[in-house]
Amino acid sequence: MAASPSTARAINDRLALRLLQQEGPLTAGQLKTLTGLSRPTVADLVERLQDSGLVRVVGETGDRRRGPNARLYGIVADLAHLAALDVRTHSVSVVVADLLGATLAEAVLPIGSDTATEAAVERAAALLERTAEEAGAVRLHSVGIGAPGLVAPGTGELRDTTGLPAWHRRLVAALHERLPATVLVENETNLAALAEQRLGAARGQDTFVLLWLGHGVGAAVVLDGKLRRGASGGAGEIGFLPVPGTSRLPSALGCDGGFHTLVSSAGIGELAEEYGISAVAAAQEPPAAALVRAAVEAESAARGAAGGTAGEKAAATPKDKAVDAFLGVLADRLAIGAAAVSAVLDPGRIVLAGEVGHAGGAALAARVEARLAAMSPLRTEVRAGTLGGTAVLRGALLTARDAAQDDLFAPEPN
């Protein structure tokens, strides 16, 4: 059945807006080429989008020929302001951006474990309000929040989870009450997967699993282009996975004894101490990230000094051997969890994300991939995340931007 004229116009407008979002400012001629629409149709849609306040002339091309085709049209970025929050156990990070996702202001606030719930909520909410004011945002359209814990699939509510601060859950409710904005909350690891899929190591992948390696460990599952949250929102709680190499099993009340014990920041720290690896972490950085980065850098330096692979063993110092052993055991530990994921889901690609995955880089990912290949018949690539600790915040901003654009770019009802 042929689309009605109004439906066709709406489809064409959305297509043009998506191209302007992805490609940046375009001329009418470029829009004609990219959309395949006729020149009169493109002229009509450009006029409609300008009249609706969504698009404006932002410049001209360098062509000598003047006229409508030489004008550059771009989305009105300040039509709406967005915010994203990365809510950690002991801190909150905020970024405020325009409709295209360009950062206008950002801030980070540590929140101590001894801070009372209402005081923590007030500090976090006030931080968002101050940052929005600094960005010149009179009103926020959409706010994306990334937080640890389970998000109920039906309601989008952050569930009360043992071991996580009470202020997390209360903050989400407080922002709903205080802001005239759309407030969206999602598990932090799921947001990291969204960011790595759009911008990083999983770009173009419809099926993959992201392992978040930071202070703790989590996973996000993307199958056939869709994020899979599970029946209760708990898909990817891989820290509870029972694994060999621990002294006990995890329980419903805590993941100690599970995969978390092997590859959390604390677990990696204990392993590094066994091999004499030390490093000083940056502010808000998991200590394990600094340890893994130091080991990878030391390994790279040792190889450079050895002049390549030939003669490496003969030239290796005790420190070099300790670094190699540390990275080898860490790769073994990560491969245990990766093998379980691969056997159940066959994702084709696993991304080692978060601060620790980013610190390990390609060197650690290659070690894990080699060990995984020896443990599983299923071909699985292992890649290092490229966004590090910023992935959650960037995923939250993408979520807020998508929500705002879906609202603002929606066709007007007849």
Side-chain angles (χ1 to χ4, degrees):
M1 182 181 295
S4 67
S6 60
T7 300
R9 285 194 297 270
I11 293 172
N12 292 339
D13 290 355
R14 290 296 294 266
L15 174 58
L17 287 166
R18 186 170 71 249
L19 289 168
L20 289 169
Q21 174 196 334
Q22 295 171 347
E23 305 294 334
L26 297 170
T27 66
Q30 289 169 328
L31 282 171
K32 175 183 178 297
T33 300
L34 292 171
T35 61
L37 300 172
S38 68
R39 188 178 300 278
T41 300
V42 170
D44 287 343
L45 75 82
V46 166
E47 184 177 357
R48 278 196 307 275
L49 294 176
Q50 287 188 95
D51 290 344
S52 65
L54 295 174
V55 166
R56 64 186 171 203
V57 176
V58 296
E60 291 185 345
T61 63
D63 297 340
R64 293 181 179 179
R65 175 174 175 262
R66 297 293 181 176
N69 287 355
R71 294 174 183 172
L72 283 168
Y73 298 95
I75 291 175
V76 180
D78 57 2
L79 184 64
H81 290 101
L82 323 168
L85 286 81
D86 180 2
V87 180
R88 303 290 180 100
T89 305
H90 301 298
S91 69
V92 59
S93 300
V94 175
V95 62
V96 176
D98 64 22
L99 185 58
L100 291 177
T103 297
L104 303 176
E106 53 190 333
V108 180
L109 177 70
I111 296 180
S113 56
D114 57 345
T115 307
T117 297
E118 290 305 318
V121 170
E122 181 58 35
R123 291 179 189 177
L127 178 71
L128 172 58
E129 291 169 348
R130 288 196 305 273
T131 309
E133 183 178 357
E134 179 185 341
V138 177
R139 178 184 180 277
L140 293 173
H141 183 285
S142 303
V143 178
I145 303 173
L150 305 182
V151 177
T155 64
E157 182 183 13
L158 185 63
R159 294 171 53 184
D160 191 8
T161 306
T162 302
L164 293 176
W167 66 266
H168 284 191
R169 192 164 186 261
R170 178 68 191 112
L171 174 62
V172 175
L175 293 181
H176 275 291
E177 296 166 2
R178 293 170 69 147
L179 299 176
T182 299
V183 178
L184 306 160
V185 62
E186 180 59 270
N187 173 268
E188 58 180 357
T189 307
N190 289 342
L191 290 178
L194 171 63
E196 290 286 359
Q197 185 183 36
R198 296 266 196 98
L199 309 169
R203 185 177 296 189
Q205 296 292 122
D206 286 336
T207 296
F208 70 98
V209 168
L210 177 139
L211 289 184
W212 178 265
L213 304 170
H215 288 287
V217 58
V221 179
V222 178
L223 301 177
D224 300 324
K226 294 184 179 180
L227 181 67
R228 306 295 179 172
R229 296 178 175 84
S232 64
E237 289 294 324
I238 199 171
F240 287 88
L241 180 72
V243 292
T246 62
S247 59
R248 57 193 175 95
L249 293 173
S251 73
L253 300 178
C255 53
D256 290 339
F259 188 50
H260 171 91
T261 298
L262 295 183
V263 297
S264 67
S265 185
I268 295 174
E270 293 173 1
L271 179 66
E273 187 175 358
E274 290 180 26
Y275 289 96
I277 310 296
S278 62
V280 178
Q284 305 300 321
E285 180 184 48
L291 293 167
V292 171
R293 184 167 52 250
V296 169
E297 290 174 353
E299 179 186 54
S300 177
R303 286 184 175 176
T309 56
E312 256 186 80
K313 291 184 179 179
T317 67
K319 180 180 178 181
D320 296 337
K321 293 177 181 178
V323 165
D324 180 70
F326 164 70
L327 291 174
V329 175
L330 177 57
D332 289 338
R333 291 183 174 189
L334 289 168
I336 291 173
V341 166
S342 180
V344 175
L345 299 175
D346 186 20
R349 178 174 295 188
I350 291 176
V351 177
L352 304 181
E355 296 92 345
V356 176
H358 185 255
L364 179 60
R367 285 176 178 261
V368 176
E369 182 175 304
R371 283 155 172 77
L372 182 56
M375 297 171 65
S376 171
L378 302 175
R379 170 65 178 155
T380 307
E381 299 176 340
V382 180
R383 297 290 182 268
T386 60
L387 305 179
T390 69
V392 175
L393 200 58
R394 296 176 79 169
L397 186 59
L398 286 169
T399 299
R401 192 183 77 179
D402 288 348
Q405 291 184 351
D406 284 345
D407 178 32
L408 296 171
F409 295 173
E412 295 184 4
N414 294 328

